[in-house]
Amino acid sequence: MKELCKLKKSELTTDFKKIIKIVKKPKFICEKCARVAKDKKYLCNPIALKK
């Protein structure tokens, strides 16, 4: 799957179950668009969330 930041609205509905797994218990946030993910490979400008 490509980066969440680059997904089109139509892709969100077709890949919904995959996206839920990616954003569950996030460890990273994108500095550009504020999307979150558990792995930085899904974001275009990821930074680690501090605990």
Side-chain angles (χ1 to χ4, degrees):
M1 176 176 269
K2 60 184 173 181
E3 296 167 347
L4 294 175
C5 310
K6 296 180 181 179
L7 289 177
K8 295 177 185 176
K9 192 173 184 178
S10 62
E11 294 172 304
L12 295 175
T13 55
T14 58
D15 294 327
F16 195 66
K17 289 184 180 184
K18 289 181 188 176
I19 294 169
I20 290 172
K21 290 180 183 179
I22 292 169
V23 301
K24 199 173 198 177
K25 296 184 182 180
K27 294 181 182 176
F28 297 91
I29 187 167
C30 179
E31 283 186 298
K32 184 177 178 182
C33 62
R35 287 177 171 87
V36 295
K38 64 180 175 181
D39 192 336
K40 63 183 178 180
K41 70 180 180 181
Y42 296 112
L43 303 169
C44 62
N45 290 322
I47 57 170
L49 290 170
K50 297 178 181 176
K51 291 185 178 185

